[in-house]
Amino acid sequence: MNSDLLALQPALSGAELVSPDSRSSPVDPSPVDPSLADPSLVEAVPSKRLAEYLALQGSTTFFLQAVSGHPVEVEVLHQSVETHPNRGDILRRHARLYVRHARNIVLVAKSEIALSRLDPGQRRKLIERSEGIGKLLDPGNLGLLEKNDIEVSRVPAPHSLQTASDWAVSRYFSLKFNGECCGEIREILNNESLERAR
């Protein structure tokens, strides 16, 4: 991971996303025989679709659109741009992705994007909140994006995900655009929220 992006990590590990008692063991996407598992844990086993998401290298938005057959919308909950002497302008965004209706929340995300790594048009669209990050950087889903996982863990489901399930999967990764690191993103979802994309 690029050393200047190491400095972005603390801001992404907010209390709502990860807590000390978050049962942060790594997620194993392999199927578990329910007869061998504790019945209370069976519900927490990642579904096939969640396992596919965890293996995803490209745009999350396009993956969700392929699953649902509908456009994926972004609701930006909070956004700011901060200037750092060594790293330039950094866009920090907390958002929810949903399908068909704002109540159909599929995932929540916290992102930090180095705006200096993008062209002026991309920067403007991100700041104006007119496009999702993945859809903006790779509009044709041509494979311009690459995710490098930093941490995948099981966490308590944040209230903003609005699920009955009390657990979720947190996928924290660095994002490369055209082979160059441009930011870090933490996405949180679970089997229940992912089913909303159907």
Coordinates of all heavy atoms in Angstrom, one line a residue, residues 84-153:
H84 N -4.3 18.5 2.3 CA -3.1 18.1 3.1 C -1.9 18.6 2.4 O -1.8 18.4 1.1 CB -3.1 16.6 3.3 CG -4.3 16.2 4.1 ND1 -4.2 16.1 5.5 CD2 -5.5 15.7 3.8 CE1 -5.4 15.7 6.0 NE2 -6.2 15.5 5.0
P85 N -0.9 19.1 3.1 CA 0.4 19.6 2.4 C 1.1 18.6 1.5 O 1.5 18.9 0.5 CB 1.3 20.0 3.6 CG 0.4 20.0 4.8 CD -0.8 19.2 4.5
N86 N 1.1 17.3 1.9 CA 1.9 16.3 1.2 C 1.0 15.5 0.2 O 1.5 14.8 -0.7 CB 2.6 15.3 2.1 CG 3.6 16.1 3.0 OD1 4.2 17.1 2.6 ND2 3.8 15.6 4.2
R87 N -0.3 15.5 0.5 CA -1.2 14.6 -0.3 C -2.2 15.3 -1.2 O -3.0 14.7 -1.9 CB -2.0 13.7 0.7 CG -1.0 12.7 1.4 CD -1.8 11.8 2.3 NE -2.2 12.5 3.5 CZ -3.3 12.2 4.2 NH1 -4.1 11.3 3.8 NH2 -3.7 12.9 5.2
G88 N -2.3 16.6 -1.1 CA -3.2 17.4 -1.8 C -4.6 17.3 -1.3 O -4.9 17.0 -0.1
D89 N -5.6 17.5 -2.2 CA -7.0 17.4 -1.7 C -7.5 16.0 -1.6 O -7.3 15.2 -2.5 CB -7.9 18.2 -2.8 CG -7.7 19.7 -2.7 OD1 -7.1 20.2 -1.8 OD2 -8.1 20.3 -3.7
I90 N -8.1 15.7 -0.5 CA -8.7 14.4 -0.2 C -10.2 14.5 0.0 O -10.7 15.3 0.8 CB -8.1 13.8 1.1 CG1 -6.6 13.7 1.0 CG2 -8.7 12.4 1.4 CD1 -6.0 12.8 0.0
L91 N -10.9 13.8 -0.8 CA -12.4 13.7 -0.6 C -12.7 12.6 0.4 O -12.3 11.5 0.2 CB -13.1 13.4 -2.0 CG -14.6 13.2 -1.9 CD1 -15.3 14.5 -2.0 CD2 -15.1 12.2 -3.0
R92 N -13.5 13.0 1.4 CA -14.0 12.0 2.4 C -15.5 12.0 2.2 O -16.2 13.0 2.2 CB -13.6 12.5 3.8 CG -12.2 12.6 4.1 CD -11.9 12.9 5.6 NE -10.6 13.5 5.9 CZ -9.5 12.8 5.9 NH1 -9.5 11.6 5.5 NH2 -8.4 13.4 6.2
R93 N -16.0 10.8 2.1 CA -17.4 10.6 1.8 C -18.0 9.4 2.6 O -17.4 8.4 2.7 CB -17.7 10.3 0.3 CG -19.1 10.1 0.0 CD -19.3 9.7 -1.5 NE -19.2 10.8 -2.4 CZ -19.4 10.8 -3.7 NH1 -19.6 9.6 -4.3 NH2 -19.3 11.9 -4.4
H94 N -19.1 9.6 3.2 CA -19.9 8.6 3.9 C -21.2 8.5 3.1 O -21.9 9.5 2.9 CB -20.2 9.0 5.3 CG -20.9 7.9 6.1 ND1 -21.4 8.1 7.3 CD2 -21.1 6.6 5.8 CE1 -22.0 7.0 7.8 NE2 -21.8 6.1 6.9
A95 N -21.5 7.3 2.5 CA -22.7 7.2 1.6 C -23.3 5.8 1.8 O -22.8 4.9 2.4 CB -22.2 7.3 0.2
R96 N -24.6 5.8 1.3 CA -25.3 4.5 1.2 C -25.7 4.3 -0.2 O -26.0 5.2 -1.0 CB -26.6 4.6 2.0 CG -26.4 4.7 3.5 CD -27.7 4.5 4.3 NE -28.6 5.6 4.1 CZ -29.5 5.9 5.0 NH1 -29.6 5.2 6.2 NH2 -30.4 6.9 4.8
L97 N -25.6 3.0 -0.7 CA -26.0 2.6 -2.0 C -27.3 1.9 -1.9 O -27.5 1.0 -1.0 CB -25.0 1.7 -2.7 CG -23.8 2.4 -3.4 CD1 -23.0 3.2 -2.5 CD2 -22.9 1.4 -4.1
Y98 N -28.3 2.2 -2.8 CA -29.6 1.6 -2.7 C -30.1 1.3 -4.1 O -29.6 1.9 -5.1 CB -30.6 2.4 -1.9 CG -30.9 3.7 -2.5 CD1 -32.0 3.9 -3.4 CD2 -30.2 4.9 -2.2 CE1 -32.3 5.1 -3.9 CE2 -30.5 6.1 -2.7 CZ -31.6 6.2 -3.6 OH -31.9 7.5 -4.2
V99 N -31.1 0.4 -4.2 CA -31.7 0.0 -5.5 C -33.2 0.3 -5.4 O -33.8 -0.1 -4.4 CB -31.4 -1.5 -5.8 CG1 -32.1 -1.9 -7.0 CG2 -29.9 -1.7 -5.9
R100 N -33.7 0.9 -6.4 CA -35.2 1.2 -6.6 C -35.8 2.2 -5.6 O -36.6 3.0 -6.0 CB -36.0 -0.1 -6.6 CG -35.7 -1.0 -7.8 CD -36.6 -2.3 -7.8 NE -36.5 -3.1 -6.6 CZ -35.5 -4.0 -6.4 NH1 -34.6 -4.2 -7.2 NH2 -35.6 -4.7 -5.2
H101 N -35.4 2.2 -4.4 CA -36.0 3.1 -3.4 C -35.0 3.3 -2.3 O -34.2 2.4 -1.9 CB -37.3 2.5 -2.8 CG -38.1 3.4 -2.0 ND1 -37.7 3.8 -0.7 CD2 -39.1 4.2 -2.3 CE1 -38.6 4.7 -0.2 NE2 -39.4 4.9 -1.2
A102 N -35.0 4.5 -1.7 CA -34.0 4.8 -0.7 C -34.0 3.9 0.5 O -33.1 3.8 1.3 CB -34.2 6.2 -0.2
R103 N -35.2 3.2 0.7 CA -35.2 2.2 1.9 C -34.5 0.9 1.5 O -34.3 0.1 2.4 CB -36.7 1.9 2.2 CG -37.4 3.1 2.9 CD -38.7 2.7 3.5 NE -39.6 2.1 2.5 CZ -40.6 2.8 1.9 NH1 -40.7 4.1 2.2 NH2 -41.3 2.2 1.0
N104 N -34.2 0.6 0.3 CA -33.6 -0.6 -0.2 C -32.1 -0.5 -0.1 O -31.4 -0.6 -1.1 CB -34.0 -1.0 -1.6 CG -35.4 -1.5 -1.6 OD1 -36.0 -2.1 -0.7 ND2 -36.1 -1.2 -2.7
I105 N -31.6 -0.2 1.1 CA -30.1 0.0 1.3 C -29.4 -1.3 1.1 O -29.7 -2.3 1.8 CB -29.8 0.7 2.7 CG1 -30.6 2.0 2.8 CG2 -28.4 0.8 2.9 CD1 -30.8 2.4 4.2
V106 N -28.4 -1.3 0.2 CA -27.6 -2.5 0.0 C -26.3 -2.5 0.8 O -25.9 -3.5 1.3 CB -27.3 -2.7 -1.5 CG1 -26.5 -3.9 -1.8 CG2 -28.6 -2.7 -2.3
L107 N -25.7 -1.3 0.8 CA -24.4 -1.2 1.6 C -24.2 0.2 2.0 O -24.8 1.2 1.5 CB -23.2 -1.7 0.8 CG -22.7 -1.0 -0.4 CD1 -21.8 0.2 -0.1 CD2 -21.9 -2.0 -1.2
V108 N -23.4 0.4 3.1 CA -22.9 1.7 3.5 C -21.4 1.7 3.3 O -20.7 0.7 3.3 CB -23.3 2.0 5.0 CG1 -24.8 2.1 5.2 CG2 -22.7 1.0 5.9
A109 N -20.9 2.9 3.0 CA -19.5 3.0 2.6 C -18.9 4.3 3.2 O -19.5 5.3 3.2 CB -19.3 3.0 1.1
K110 N -17.6 4.2 3.6 CA -16.8 5.4 3.9 C -15.6 5.3 2.9 O -14.9 4.3 2.8 CB -16.3 5.4 5.3 CG -17.4 5.8 6.3 CD -16.8 6.1 7.7 CE -17.9 6.7 8.5 NZ -17.4 7.1 9.8
S111 N -15.4 6.5 2.3 CA -14.4 6.5 1.2 C -13.4 7.7 1.4 O -13.9 8.7 1.9 CB -15.0 6.7 -0.2 OG -16.0 5.8 -0.3
E112 N -12.2 7.5 1.0 CA -11.2 8.6 1.0 C -10.5 8.5 -0.3 O -9.9 7.5 -0.6 CB -10.2 8.6 2.2 CG -10.9 8.7 3.5 CD -10.0 9.1 4.6 OE1 -8.8 9.3 4.4 OE2 -10.5 9.3 5.7
I113 N -10.7 9.5 -1.2 CA -10.1 9.5 -2.5 C -9.2 10.7 -2.7 O -9.5 11.8 -2.4 CB -11.3 9.6 -3.6 CG1 -12.3 8.5 -3.4 CG2 -10.7 9.6 -5.0 CD1 -11.8 7.1 -3.6
A114 N -8.0 10.4 -3.2 CA -7.0 11.5 -3.5 C -7.4 12.1 -4.8 O -7.2 11.6 -5.9 CB -5.6 10.8 -3.6
L115 N -8.0 13.3 -4.7 CA -8.5 14.0 -5.9 C -7.4 14.3 -6.9 O -7.6 14.4 -8.1 CB -9.2 15.3 -5.5 CG -10.5 15.0 -4.7 CD1 -11.1 16.3 -4.3 CD2 -11.5 14.2 -5.5
S116 N -6.1 14.5 -6.4 CA -5.0 14.8 -7.3 C -4.8 13.7 -8.3 O -4.1 13.9 -9.4 CB -3.8 15.1 -6.5 OG -3.4 14.0 -5.8
R117 N -5.2 12.5 -8.0 CA -5.0 11.4 -8.9 C -6.1 11.3 -10.0 O -6.0 10.4 -10.9 CB -5.0 10.0 -8.1 CG -4.2 10.0 -6.9 CD -2.7 9.7 -7.3 NE -1.8 10.0 -6.2 CZ -1.5 9.1 -5.2 NH1 -2.0 7.9 -5.2 NH2 -0.6 9.4 -4.3
L118 N -7.1 12.2 -10.0 CA -8.1 12.2 -11.0 C -8.1 13.4 -11.9 O -7.5 14.4 -11.6 CB -9.5 12.2 -10.3 CG -9.7 11.1 -9.2 CD1 -11.0 11.3 -8.5 CD2 -9.5 9.7 -9.7
D119 N -8.7 13.3 -13.1 CA -8.7 14.4 -14.0 C -9.8 15.4 -13.5 O -10.6 15.1 -12.7 CB -9.0 14.0 -15.4 CG -10.4 13.5 -15.7 OD1 -11.4 14.1 -15.2 OD2 -10.5 12.5 -16.5
P120 N -9.7 16.7 -14.0 CA -10.6 17.7 -13.4 C -12.1 17.4 -13.5 O -12.9 17.7 -12.6 CB -10.3 18.9 -14.3 CG -8.9 18.7 -14.7 CD -8.7 17.2 -14.9
G121 N -12.5 16.7 -14.6 CA -13.9 16.4 -14.8 C -14.4 15.4 -13.7 O -15.5 15.5 -13.2
Q122 N -13.5 14.4 -13.5 CA -13.8 13.4 -12.4 C -13.9 14.0 -11.1 O -14.8 13.7 -10.3 CB -12.8 12.2 -12.5 CG -12.8 11.4 -13.7 CD -11.6 10.5 -13.8 OE1 -10.5 10.8 -13.4 NE2 -11.9 9.3 -14.4
R123 N -12.9 14.9 -10.8 CA -12.9 15.6 -9.5 C -14.2 16.3 -9.3 O -14.9 16.3 -8.2 CB -11.7 16.5 -9.4 CG -10.4 15.8 -9.2 CD -9.3 16.8 -8.7 NE -9.0 17.8 -9.7 CZ -8.0 17.7 -10.6 NH1 -7.3 16.6 -10.7 NH2 -7.8 18.7 -11.4
R124 N -14.6 17.1 -10.3 CA -15.8 17.9 -10.2 C -17.1 17.1 -9.9 O -17.9 17.4 -9.1 CB -16.0 18.8 -11.5 CG -17.2 19.7 -11.5 CD -17.3 20.5 -12.7 NE -17.1 19.8 -14.0 CZ -17.9 18.9 -14.5 NH1 -19.1 18.7 -14.0 NH2 -17.6 18.3 -15.7
K125 N -17.2 16.0 -10.7 CA -18.4 15.1 -10.5 C -18.4 14.5 -9.2 O -19.5 14.3 -8.6 CB -18.4 14.1 -11.6 CG -18.8 14.6 -13.0 CD -18.9 13.5 -14.0 CE -19.3 14.1 -15.3 NZ -19.3 13.0 -16.4
L126 N -17.2 14.1 -8.6 CA -17.2 13.5 -7.3 C -17.6 14.5 -6.2 O -18.4 14.2 -5.4 CB -15.8 12.9 -6.9 CG -15.5 11.5 -7.4 CD1 -14.1 11.1 -6.9 CD2 -16.5 10.5 -6.9
I127 N -17.1 15.7 -6.4 CA -17.4 16.8 -5.4 C -18.9 17.2 -5.5 O -19.5 17.4 -4.5 CB -16.5 18.0 -5.6 CG1 -15.0 17.6 -5.2 CG2 -17.0 19.2 -4.8 CD1 -14.0 18.6 -5.6
E128 N -19.4 17.2 -6.7 CA -20.8 17.5 -6.9 C -21.8 16.4 -6.5 O -23.0 16.6 -6.6 CB -21.1 17.9 -8.4 CG -20.4 19.2 -8.7 CD -20.6 19.5 -10.2 OE1 -21.1 18.7 -11.0 OE2 -20.1 20.6 -10.6
R129 N -21.2 15.2 -6.2 CA -22.0 14.1 -5.8 C -22.9 13.5 -6.9 O -23.9 12.9 -6.6 CB -22.9 14.4 -4.6 CG -22.1 15.0 -3.4 CD -23.1 15.4 -2.3 NE -22.4 16.1 -1.3 CZ -22.9 16.3 -0.1 NH1 -24.0 15.8 0.2 NH2 -22.2 16.9 0.8
S130 N -22.5 13.8 -8.1 CA -23.4 13.4 -9.2 C -23.1 12.0 -9.7 O -23.9 11.5 -10.5 CB -23.2 14.4 -10.4 OG -21.9 14.4 -10.9
E131 N -22.1 11.4 -9.2 CA -21.7 10.0 -9.7 C -21.2 9.2 -8.5 O -20.5 9.8 -7.7 CB -20.7 10.0 -10.8 CG -21.1 10.6 -12.1 CD -21.9 9.7 -13.0 OE1 -22.1 8.5 -12.6 OE2 -22.3 10.1 -14.0
G132 N -21.4 7.9 -8.5 CA -20.8 7.0 -7.6 C -19.3 6.9 -8.0 O -19.0 7.1 -9.2
I133 N -18.4 6.5 -7.1 CA -17.0 6.4 -7.3 C -16.7 5.4 -8.4 O -16.0 5.8 -9.4 CB -16.2 6.2 -6.0 CG1 -16.4 7.3 -5.0 CG2 -14.8 5.9 -6.3 CD1 -16.0 7.0 -3.6
G134 N -17.1 4.2 -8.3 CA -16.8 3.2 -9.2 C -17.4 3.5 -10.6 O -16.7 3.3 -11.6
K135 N -18.6 3.9 -10.7 CA -19.3 4.2 -11.9 C -18.6 5.4 -12.6 O -18.5 5.5 -13.8 CB -20.7 4.5 -11.7 CG -21.6 4.4 -12.9 CD -23.0 4.5 -12.5 CE -24.0 4.5 -13.7 NZ -25.3 4.5 -13.3
L136 N -18.1 6.4 -11.8 CA -17.4 7.6 -12.4 C -16.0 7.2 -13.0 O -15.7 7.6 -14.0 CB -17.3 8.6 -11.3 CG -16.4 9.8 -11.7 CD1 -17.2 10.7 -12.8 CD2 -16.1 10.7 -10.5
L137 N -15.3 6.4 -12.2 CA -13.9 6.1 -12.6 C -13.8 5.1 -13.8 O -12.9 5.1 -14.5 CB -13.1 5.6 -11.4 CG -12.9 6.6 -10.3 CD1 -12.0 6.1 -9.2 CD2 -12.3 7.9 -10.8
D138 N -14.8 4.2 -13.8 CA -14.8 3.2 -14.9 C -16.2 3.1 -15.4 O -16.9 2.1 -15.2 CB -14.3 1.8 -14.3 CG -14.1 0.8 -15.4 OD1 -14.2 1.2 -16.6 OD2 -13.8 -0.4 -15.1
P139 N -16.7 4.1 -16.2 CA -18.1 4.2 -16.6 C -18.5 3.0 -17.5 O -19.7 2.6 -17.5 CB -18.2 5.5 -17.3 CG -16.8 5.9 -17.7 CD -15.9 5.3 -16.6
G140 N -17.6 2.4 -18.2 CA -17.9 1.3 -19.1 C -17.6 -0.1 -18.5 O -17.8 -1.1 -19.1
N141 N -17.3 -0.1 -17.2 CA -16.9 -1.3 -16.5 C -15.9 -2.1 -17.3 O -16.0 -3.3 -17.5 CB -18.1 -2.1 -16.2 CG -17.9 -3.1 -15.1 OD1 -17.0 -3.0 -14.2 ND2 -18.7 -4.2 -15.1
L142 N -14.8 -1.4 -17.7 CA -13.8 -2.0 -18.6 C -12.6 -2.6 -17.8 O -11.7 -3.1 -18.4 CB -13.2 -0.9 -19.5 CG -14.3 -0.2 -20.4 CD1 -13.6 0.9 -21.2 CD2 -14.9 -1.2 -21.3
G143 N -12.7 -2.6 -16.5 CA -11.6 -3.2 -15.7 C -10.5 -2.2 -15.3 O -9.4 -2.6 -15.0
L144 N -10.9 -0.9 -15.3 CA -9.9 0.1 -14.9 C -9.7 0.2 -13.4 O -8.7 0.8 -12.9 CB -10.4 1.5 -15.4 CG -10.6 1.6 -16.9 CD1 -11.1 3.0 -17.2 CD2 -9.4 1.3 -17.7
L145 N -10.6 -0.4 -12.6 CA -10.5 -0.4 -11.2 C -10.0 -1.8 -10.6 O -10.3 -2.8 -11.2 CB -11.8 -0.1 -10.5 CG -12.5 1.2 -10.9 CD1 -13.9 1.3 -10.2 CD2 -11.6 2.3 -10.4
E146 N -9.2 -1.7 -9.6 CA -8.7 -2.9 -8.9 C -8.8 -2.6 -7.4 O -8.4 -1.6 -6.9 CB -7.3 -3.1 -9.3 CG -6.7 -4.4 -8.7 CD -5.2 -4.5 -9.0 OE1 -4.7 -3.9 -10.0 OE2 -4.5 -5.3 -8.3
K147 N -9.3 -3.6 -6.7 CA -9.4 -3.6 -5.2 C -8.3 -4.5 -4.6 O -8.1 -5.6 -5.0 CB -10.7 -4.0 -4.8 CG -11.8 -3.1 -5.3 CD -13.2 -3.7 -4.9 CE -14.3 -2.7 -5.4 NZ -15.6 -3.3 -5.2
N148 N -7.6 -3.9 -3.6 CA -6.6 -4.7 -2.9 C -7.1 -4.7 -1.4 O -7.0 -3.7 -0.7 CB -5.2 -4.1 -3.0 CG -4.6 -4.3 -4.4 OD1 -4.8 -5.3 -5.0 ND2 -4.1 -3.2 -4.9
D149 N -7.6 -5.9 -1.0 CA -8.1 -5.9 0.4 C -7.1 -5.7 1.4 O -6.0 -6.2 1.4 CB -8.8 -7.3 0.6 CG -10.1 -7.5 -0.1 OD1 -10.7 -6.5 -0.4 OD2 -10.5 -8.6 -0.3
I150 N -7.4 -4.8 2.4 CA -6.6 -4.5 3.6 C -7.1 -5.3 4.7 O -6.3 -5.9 5.5 CB -6.6 -3.0 3.9 CG1 -6.1 -2.2 2.7 CG2 -5.9 -2.7 5.2 CD1 -6.3 -0.7 2.8
E151 N -8.4 -5.4 4.9 CA -9.0 -6.1 6.0 C -10.5 -6.5 5.6 O -11.2 -5.7 5.1 CB -9.1 -5.3 7.3 CG -9.8 -5.9 8.4 CD -9.9 -5.0 9.6 OE1 -10.6 -4.0 9.5 OE2 -9.3 -5.3 10.6
V152 N -10.8 -7.7 5.9 CA -12.2 -8.2 5.8 C -12.6 -8.8 7.1 O -11.9 -9.7 7.6 CB -12.4 -9.2 4.6 CG1 -13.8 -9.7 4.6 CG2 -12.0 -8.6 3.3
S153 N -13.6 -8.3 7.7 CA -14.0 -8.7 9.0 C -15.5 -8.7 9.3 O -16.2 -8.1 8.6 CB -13.3 -7.9 10.1 OG -13.6 -6.5 10.0

